[in-house]
Amino acid sequence: MNRKQLNIGLLGFGSMGRTHTWAISVIPFYYRNPPFEARLAGVYTRTERTREDAKSEFGFVKAYSSEDELIADPDIDIIDITTPNIAHYETIKKAINAGKHIYCEKPLTTTADEADEVARLSSDAGVTAQIVFNTRFLSPIMRAKQLIDEGRLGRIISFRSSYLHASCTDLAKSAGWKQDKTVCGGGVLFDLGSHALDLVYYLCGNYKKVWGMSQIAHPTRLGMDGKPWQTNADEAFYMLCELECGAKGTVEANKLAVGANDDFKLEIYGERGALRFDLMEPNWLWFYDMEDKSGDLGGERGFKRIECCGRYPEPAGIFPGVKAPIGWLRGHLGSMYSFLSAVAGEKQVGPNFNDAAHIQRVMQAAYESDMTGAPVVIS
């Protein structure tokens, strides 16, 4: 089998940079005969020590002295962006102008206009461009999509999507860049909320109207320099949403949830059935089917737990086995494989930059609603 060699240039090497590097490196273990050979061709971070350590420890071919040098290198096929949010827009435009394919961490940009622009530019340039909404690629979510597409839930009536962390509850801990609006462009809505919004969009359809309300519980906390700092980004965000299909529901992104870890929960209720998912128990999808017979003592009706685990379709599922439990990283692996397969010439399954731009418009509308107190229709 002739495999297309794909040379990947990574920008940034924090937590997400390491995650993407892992996903690229382990693809041959999890997928049979991938149509590409992914190569860690280059890395750039602002700190020389970090990029040199990444090169020596993780096998990157070259550590570049600047972002522009990496993007301009004709040997680089793909630009993988894991830098802070405010840097995405300019980097994406440079990558498009250089004819590179792009894999970008969420959110796509910090404004809806920027997101619409880069979505249009990438489409016009004919490059493959994907946003990292990695939760789509967990097996329970893939099974949920299958059930909804088969009509097993019928018309969608309502939903609840919530993503909770405890990362803003410790006032002795200095804020990170994701809590500084001058760097991240938005608060928890951009960070966790983008994922919570995307799964509803992916499974139920476009947003039509949103009401938004932000919360800053701790106006003064320690800044990144360890000195007192005025919090400038939302620590929690609450939304009421209406979809184009008529369904209504709530979306919550919250870093003030004491005791939470990576608590992402989704519930979808239709006329014929319902679904539940919990990221802290990622091997299962709960499904309620109105077709099940009721009767004395309940009959056969009730939520059933579907064992999704490692039951991915070919060419996946070969390692570590269909019965083996999965975790958070498996979604990033599936996302990366999907993107690289599309670059290699196979059908792109998304989420593409148009999807990312829709979520950006929803988040911007939510912030506008928070400021005015009125609902905002998605343009």
Side-chain angles (χ1 to χ4, degrees), residues 284-301:
W284 313 99
L285 177 68
W286 292 87
F287 174 47
Y288 188 99
D289 191 348
M290 287 287 288
E291 297 298 317
D292 289 342
K293 293 181 180 180
S294 187
D296 294 339
L297 303 179
E300 299 176 3
R301 188 167 291 181

Side-chain angles (χ1 to χ4, degrees), residues 11 25 35 46 74 105 121 142 172 190 214 216 222 224 238 260 266 269 273 276 320-321 340 362:
L11 298 176
S25 302
R46 289 182 298 174
E105 269 296 335
L121 289 174
M142 296 170 71
F190 273 12
S214 66
I216 293 178
L222 297 179
M224 286 185 279
Y238 312 91
L266 177 68
Y269 299 96
R276 292 176 181 171
L340 294 177
V362 174

Side-chain angles (χ1 to χ4, degrees), residues 46 84-87 107 110 168 174-188 190-191 216 221-225 227 229-235 255 367:
R46 289 182 298 174
N85 306 341
I86 59 169
T110 58
C168 286
S174 295
W177 68 263
K178 288 185 178 182
Q179 295 167 254
D180 186 345
K181 194 172 182 178
T182 64
V183 180
C184 64
V188 67
F190 273 12
D191 187 23
I216 293 178
R221 60 165 61 246
L222 297 179
M224 286 185 279
D225 59 0
K227 299 177 180 179
W229 172 71
Q230 296 302 304
T231 305
N232 62 11
D234 45 286
E235 298 171 317
K255 291 187 176 180
Y367 278 129

Side-chain angles (χ1 to χ4, degrees), residues 16 19-20 80-83 85 88 103-109 130-132 134 195 332:
M16 285 301 98
T19 299
H20 291 201
D80 186 343
I81 302 171
T82 69
T83 51
N85 306 341
H88 292 183
Y103 191 67
C104 184
E105 269 296 335
K106 53 76 193 166
L108 183 59
T109 57
Q130 183 166 314
I131 192 75
V132 184
N134 50 287
H195 284 299
H332 275 283

Side-chain angles (χ1 to χ4, degrees), residues 324-366:
I326 64 167
W328 175 82
L329 281 169
R330 189 60 182 81
H332 275 283
L333 173 60
S335 177
M336 182 65 74
Y337 177 82
S338 173
F339 168 71
L340 294 177
S341 295
V343 174
E346 297 194 356
K347 181 181 179 181
Q348 184 175 15
V349 298
N352 60 33
F353 278 11
N354 287 324
D355 298 316
H358 179 69
I359 298 300
Q360 199 76 45
R361 289 193 295 272
V362 174
M363 293 190 295
Q364 184 162 304

Side-chain angles (χ1 to χ4, degrees), residues 63-338:
Y64 290 79
S65 60
S66 73
E67 174 179 297
D68 290 348
E69 180 190 15
L70 185 152
I71 292 175
D73 189 338
D75 290 335
I76 297 292
D77 304 303
I78 292 165
I79 303 300
D80 186 343
I81 302 171
T82 69
T83 51
N85 306 341
I86 59 169
H88 292 183
Y89 174 62
E90 294 297 338
T91 300
I92 290 170
K93 288 198 299 180
K94 287 187 287 188
I96 292 171
N97 288 335
K100 311 296 186 182
H101 304 289
I102 306 164
Y103 191 67
C104 184
E105 269 296 335
K106 53 76 193 166
L108 183 59
T109 57
T110 58
T111 73
D113 285 344
E114 290 176 349
D116 287 336
E117 180 185 355
V118 297
R120 175 181 55 81
L121 289 174
S122 62
S123 178
D124 290 346
V127 300
T128 300
Q130 183 166 314
I131 192 75
V132 184
F133 285 140
N134 50 287
T135 313
R136 290 190 182 198
F137 295 90
L138 294 174
S139 51
I141 299 302
M142 296 170 71
R143 179 65 174 131
K145 177 67 170 172
Q146 188 179 61
L147 288 167
I148 290 173
D149 288 349
E150 290 173 353
R152 301 287 296 279
L153 266 64
R155 183 168 66 95
I156 304 299
I157 303 297
S158 64
F159 55 87
R160 296 186 181 94
S161 183
S162 63
Y163 208 154
L164 312 182
H165 278 192
S167 48
C168 286
T169 60
D170 184 359
L171 295 182
K173 181 181 178 182
S174 295
W177 68 263
K178 288 185 178 182
Q179 295 167 254
D180 186 345
K181 194 172 182 178
T182 64
V183 180
C184 64
V188 67
L189 180 60
F190 273 12
D191 187 23
L192 305 182
S194 55
H195 284 299
L197 287 164
D198 177 66
L199 277 197
V200 173
Y201 164 63
Y202 176 55
L203 297 173
C204 304
N206 289 2
Y207 289 86
K208 178 181 179 181
K209 185 188 301 182
V210 297
W211 294 257
M213 182 174 65
S214 66
Q215 182 180 20
I216 293 178
H218 307 295
T220 303
R221 60 165 61 246
L222 297 179
M224 286 185 279
D225 59 0
K227 299 177 180 179
W229 172 71
Q230 296 302 304
T231 305
N232 62 11
D234 45 286
E235 298 171 317
F237 205 96
Y238 312 91
M239 296 173 62
L240 293 174
C241 307
E242 180 180 354
L243 306 184
E244 288 185 357
C245 68
K248 296 177 173 66
T250 61
V251 175
E252 176 184 353
N254 194 331
K255 291 187 176 180
L256 298 169
V258 172
N261 288 289
D262 201 28
D263 292 10
F264 186 4
K265 296 181 180 180
L266 177 68
E267 301 174 9
I268 300 174
Y269 299 96
E271 288 184 320
R272 296 179 54 196
L275 295 171
R276 292 176 181 171
F277 167 74
D278 183 347
L279 182 58
M280 294 299 289
E281 297 185 359
N283 296 288
W284 313 99
L285 177 68
W286 292 87
F287 174 47
Y288 188 99
D289 191 348
M290 287 287 288
E291 297 298 317
D292 289 342
K293 293 181 180 180
S294 187
D296 294 339
L297 303 179
E300 299 176 3
R301 188 167 291 181
F303 273 96
K304 59 175 63 70
R305 192 172 71 163
I306 300 174
E307 50 182 23
C308 298
C309 304
R311 288 169 172 81
Y312 283 86
E314 285 284 347
I318 60 172
F319 177 84
V322 296
K323 296 181 180 180
I326 64 167
W328 175 82
L329 281 169
R330 189 60 182 81
H332 275 283
L333 173 60
S335 177
M336 182 65 74
Y337 177 82
S338 173

